[in-house]
Amino acid sequence: MSTGQGEFIVEGGHRLSGEITPQGAKNEALQILCAVLLTEEKVTIHNIPNIIDVMKLIDILADFGVRVEKLGEGSYEFEAKDINIDHLHSEDYSQKASRLRGSIMVLGPLLARFGQGKIPKPGGDKIGRRRLDTHFLGFKKLGAKFEYTEDGYFKIDATDLHGTYILLDEPSVTGTANVIMGAVMAKGKTTLYNAACEPYIQQLCKMLNRMGANISGYGSNLITIEGVERLGGTTHTMLPDMIEIGSFIGLAAMTQSEITIKNCRIDELGQIPTVFKRLGIQMEFRGDDIYIPSQESYQLDRFIDGSILTVADGPWPLFTPDLLSIVLVTAIQAKGTVLVHQKMFESRLFFVDKLIDMGAQIILNDPHRATVIGMNRQSNLKGIKMSSPDIRAGVALLIAALSAEGTSVISNIDQIDRGYQDIEGRLKALGAKIERR
């Protein structure tokens, strides 16, 4: 695993070619890994991405006493038999959990199995407010009592969890996952409305059902959970990361490269291929692989009445917010104009100023919307020095740098390492000129 220190030196303007395989899905990993706490039995998980956030979470699980054994590349066996619940009150747990936003996901399983939980206010990306209310309102409905202590902790007592009707205040993926794990061994039936529908939630529910849970309705926004006495072990294989797949589609278009993205689970990608096709990018589905030919030019679609295309994000099955920065960058060299509307987070578009410095024709209308006037390769972006503000913007800037004339320097790359496994090694294999220093 990369350490995240240093910067990327990127020499742009080279066409890439070859095959690339997406890593396991980061956003699935964080909840799937926490689910191992729900049983004493062995749980084997395949296709775990070797990225900073995921390894930090595995480290937190090990601190609780989970036995962790690496079986091979991306495959681990977990056994949460002898759990030290008092570790919740240690300084070590406090420090590690506060540095990882995904640590919030240990709460549901700990409440379900041990009746208690405690967590410092978590960290994570600076992409605007990301409230944790959904998690706590859900736990409260299940009968948990919680307090926010003066020293900055959420402390929860869940000795008497019982099934109930819960209308979530927003269809949060992590909130839905956490409440499902909290409810899975509660007494009686829980009905979860306005639940997230993401493939990650569906994966979690399928895994829990194999462990002996009784969950139905996942994939829709109305999920029913019949509480069970206990859960057993299972084997689970994670989906490929849809954000990486979208990033590679954008990369291929921007750098005029011929790339095959392997093992994509196309059936789970929702609107992602459709949106990139609307940007004018050609792609062929070959079995479960996506083949993208080298394109000199790609033309942005318009709406049927001739008006300018808008790409906006929303909860699944709408377009994922994590790929809007990639759409924005990809549109820079397209023919036509597109409005990118980031509805769900209020500061994810602020990296646009760096793209403008590189020569992109973009108007940042407000914190949520940017208009991209495609240059159709009439002029190239220029390499500059820049810093990565968050995981997704970091990769968007990397794509811009790979397509630009000259050399770019991207600092703060630990943000990229948090979400992408050995990104420079995999891009070098396609012919990219990129070095870490």
Side-chain angles (χ1 to χ4, degrees):
M1 181 182 59
S2 309
T3 61
Q5 300 303 310
E7 52 196 19
F8 283 144
I9 317 298
V10 183
E11 187 185 299
H14 299 283
R15 293 193 185 201
L16 314 180
S17 67
E19 296 182 345
I20 191 163
T21 303
Q23 67 189 24
K26 170 187 182 259
N27 290 346
E28 179 185 337
L30 300 178
Q31 55 210 36
I32 292 293
L33 288 169
C34 291
V36 307
L37 288 167
L38 286 163
T39 178
E40 294 186 352
E41 296 180 19
K42 291 175 185 171
V43 177
T44 304
I45 305 176
H46 301 297
N47 204 25
I48 295 176
N50 182 9
I51 53 178
I52 289 175
D53 279 12
V54 170
M55 293 303 135
K56 277 184 181 173
L57 186 58
I58 290 176
D59 189 35
I60 288 172
L61 292 175
D63 289 344
F64 273 105
V66 177
R67 187 182 61 76
V68 180
E69 186 184 340
K70 188 169 184 182
L71 304 177
E73 188 56 45
S75 295
Y76 289 79
E77 184 180 87
F78 301 89
E79 190 177 27
K81 197 174 181 180
D82 303 310
I83 296 300
N84 173 20
I85 196 71
D86 292 337
H87 178 64
L88 278 173
H89 310 294
S90 70
E91 182 60 30
D92 184 44
Y93 168 70
S94 165
Q95 284 184 354
K96 287 181 180 176
S98 62
R99 288 198 293 263
L100 177 67
R101 192 172 185 87
S103 61
I104 182 79
M105 302 303 296
V106 302
L107 278 188
L110 290 178
L111 298 182
R113 189 167 154 209
F114 301 101
Q116 59 171 295
K118 185 181 177 187
I119 196 160
K121 214 170 175 181
D125 269 346
K126 292 176 176 56
I127 54 173
R129 290 179 312 108
R130 299 166 88 184
R131 296 180 297 107
L132 296 172
D133 301 44
T134 308
H135 300 252
F136 294 114
L137 292 171
F139 294 146
K140 209 170 178 179
K141 280 278 179 69
L142 290 170
K145 300 176 184 67
F146 76 96
E147 55 179 313
Y148 185 53
T149 61
E150 282 179 15
D151 52 353
Y153 283 87
F154 293 109
K155 193 176 170 189
I156 307 169
D157 168 22
T159 40
D160 181 30
L161 291 186
H162 46 265
T164 185
Y165 172 80
I166 303 174
L167 175 59
L168 292 180
D169 64 332
E170 60 178 6
S172 153
V173 177
T174 53
T176 300
N178 228 346
V179 173
I180 288 171
M181 290 190 284
V184 81
M185 289 191 281
K187 296 181 194 77
K189 174 175 156 184
T190 300
T191 307
L192 202 53
Y193 200 21
N194 196 26
C197 315
E198 268 77 357
Y200 312 130
I201 293 293
Q202 298 173 43
Q203 285 282 96
L204 174 67
C205 292
K206 287 172 188 171
M207 173 184 175
L208 293 173
N209 279 350
R210 286 197 306 273
M211 293 167 74
N214 186 354
I215 308 170
S216 56
Y218 51 86
S220 78
N221 65 357
L222 184 61
I223 295 175
T224 305
I225 304 147
E226 297 277 0
V228 296
E229 289 283 311
R230 61 179 296 280
L231 295 180
T234 189
T235 298
H236 180 81
T237 301
M238 292 186 8
L239 290 174
D241 196 308
M242 64 171 86
I243 314 304
E244 271 214 341
I245 293 166
S247 303
F248 297 148
I249 295 171
L251 169 71
M254 274 294 275
T255 56
Q256 302 179 58
S257 301
E258 182 183 346
I259 293 175
T260 301
I261 309 166
K262 302 292 288 179
N263 309 327
C264 293
R265 282 302 299 273
I266 294 165
D267 57 318
E268 298 281 7
L269 292 178
Q271 295 195 12
I272 292 171
T274 311
V275 168
F276 282 103
K277 281 176 179 172
R278 295 208 81 172
L279 299 182
I281 299 166
Q282 295 168 25
M283 60 185 88
E284 286 173 30
F285 296 158
R286 297 179 171 177
D288 208 23
D289 302 342
I290 299 177
Y291 168 76
I292 298 145
S294 171
Q295 281 181 258
E296 292 297 323
S297 145
Y298 47 102
Q299 179 147 6
L300 295 170
D301 205 352
R302 283 178 174 258
F303 288 119
I304 289 169
D305 64 358
S307 57
I308 286 171
L309 182 67
T310 300
V311 178
D313 63 340
W316 190 272
L318 301 178
F319 190 67
T320 171
D322 283 349
L323 278 173
L324 271 192
S325 48
I326 306 296
V327 165
L328 189 144
V329 160
T330 307
I332 289 171
Q333 287 297 5
K335 184 179 182 184
T337 300
V338 62
L339 177 71
V340 175
H341 190 172
Q342 170 66 270
K343 294 178 180 177
M344 291 175 71
F345 300 107
E346 65 260 26
S347 45
R348 265 198 168 170
L349 295 179
F350 291 161
F351 76 103
V352 159
D353 57 349
K354 300 176 181 71
L355 298 172
I356 293 169
D357 289 346
M358 295 176 83
Q361 301 287 296
I362 304 172
I363 302 159
L364 186 59
N365 308 12
D366 56 46
H368 288 279
R369 295 175 304 155
T371 305
V372 187
I373 298 125
M375 300 195 291
N376 196 24
R377 306 206 200 275
Q378 298 304 304
S379 61
N380 290 319
L381 296 180
K382 305 284 185 286
I384 62 165
K385 288 187 91 153
M386 49 194 159
S387 171
S388 166
D390 67 67
I391 298 178
R392 308 308 175 189
V395 169
L397 293 173
L398 183 56
I399 290 171
L402 287 163
S403 74
E405 262 178 24
T407 300
S408 296
V409 179
I410 305 175
S411 58
N412 199 27
I413 57 173
D414 59 321
Q415 288 289 355
I416 298 174
D417 288 332
R418 282 183 47 221
Y420 292 81
Q421 173 179 324
D422 185 26
I423 190 71
E424 78 272 24
R426 291 189 292 153
L427 291 176
K428 275 178 166 176
L430 296 175
K433 305 285 188 210
I434 172 172
E435 295 299 334
R436 178 187 292 263
R437 74 170 182 204

